Amino acid sequence: QVQLVESGGGLVQAGGSLRLSCAVSGRTFSSYVMGWFRQAAGKERDIVAAISWSGSATHYANSVKGRFTISRDNAKNTVYLQMNSLKPEDTAVYYCAAAAAFGSGTIYYSQTQYKNWGQGTQVTVSS
């Protein structure tokens, strides 16, 4: 069974930066597509970014392109989300998720394709 633990959330002023980490244990991390999702209060959970198991392919929501960067370190079984130029509308609970990959460039966009989830970490951006 795959276990995911997020860290790095917190309170930051608009324009600031945070880096989220997600440590994965239990299975071969390098065989998983990894995604970051977020859910703001009263809204649905949406994808923020995803990365293939090889790191060769990435995907970003339009709202975070140019500000957020997803990366992974397969040797450390960890995926990261670097968030820069944060805005109040980025306030949400951020979740990392893992999905079994079937190719080095595979990316999944829908949360229904991810079977393993972390508990979430709160990110609050003040104006």
Side-chain angles (χ1 to χ4, degrees), residues 7-100:
S7 60
L11 173 63
V12 64
Q13 288 188 332
S17 298
L18 283 174
R19 188 175 83 154
L20 305 183
S21 300
C22 175
V24 182
S25 62
R27 288 288 181 91
T28 304
F29 174 71
S30 59
S31 66
Y32 283 90
V33 174
M34 298 300 299
W36 284 99
F37 292 77
R38 67 185 181 186
Q39 186 169 21
K43 296 187 177 181
E44 295 185 350
R45 187 162 58 185
D46 293 321
I47 191 167
V48 175
I51 187 167
S52 62
W53 71 256
S54 66
S56 62
T58 57
H59 166 77
Y60 296 94
N62 288 335
S63 59
V64 306
K65 281 182 181 177
R67 299 188 298 121
F68 291 11
T69 302
I70 188 171
S71 62
R72 65 190 297 161
D73 185 336
N74 286 347
K76 295 183 178 180
N77 289 3
T78 302
V79 63
Y80 306 96
L81 185 67
Q82 178 67 44
M83 305 185 294
N84 298 329
S85 302
L86 282 161
K87 304 175 181 180
E89 51 264 44
D90 295 318
T91 295
V93 178
Y94 284 70
Y95 300 89
C96 72

Side-chain angles (χ1 to χ4, degrees), residues 93-115:
V93 178
Y94 284 70
Y95 300 89
C96 72
F102 296 95
S104 62
T106 299
I107 290 279
Y108 299 127
Y109 307 98
S110 171
Q111 61 179 314
T112 61
Q113 295 170 299
Y114 291 82
K115 304 304 181 185

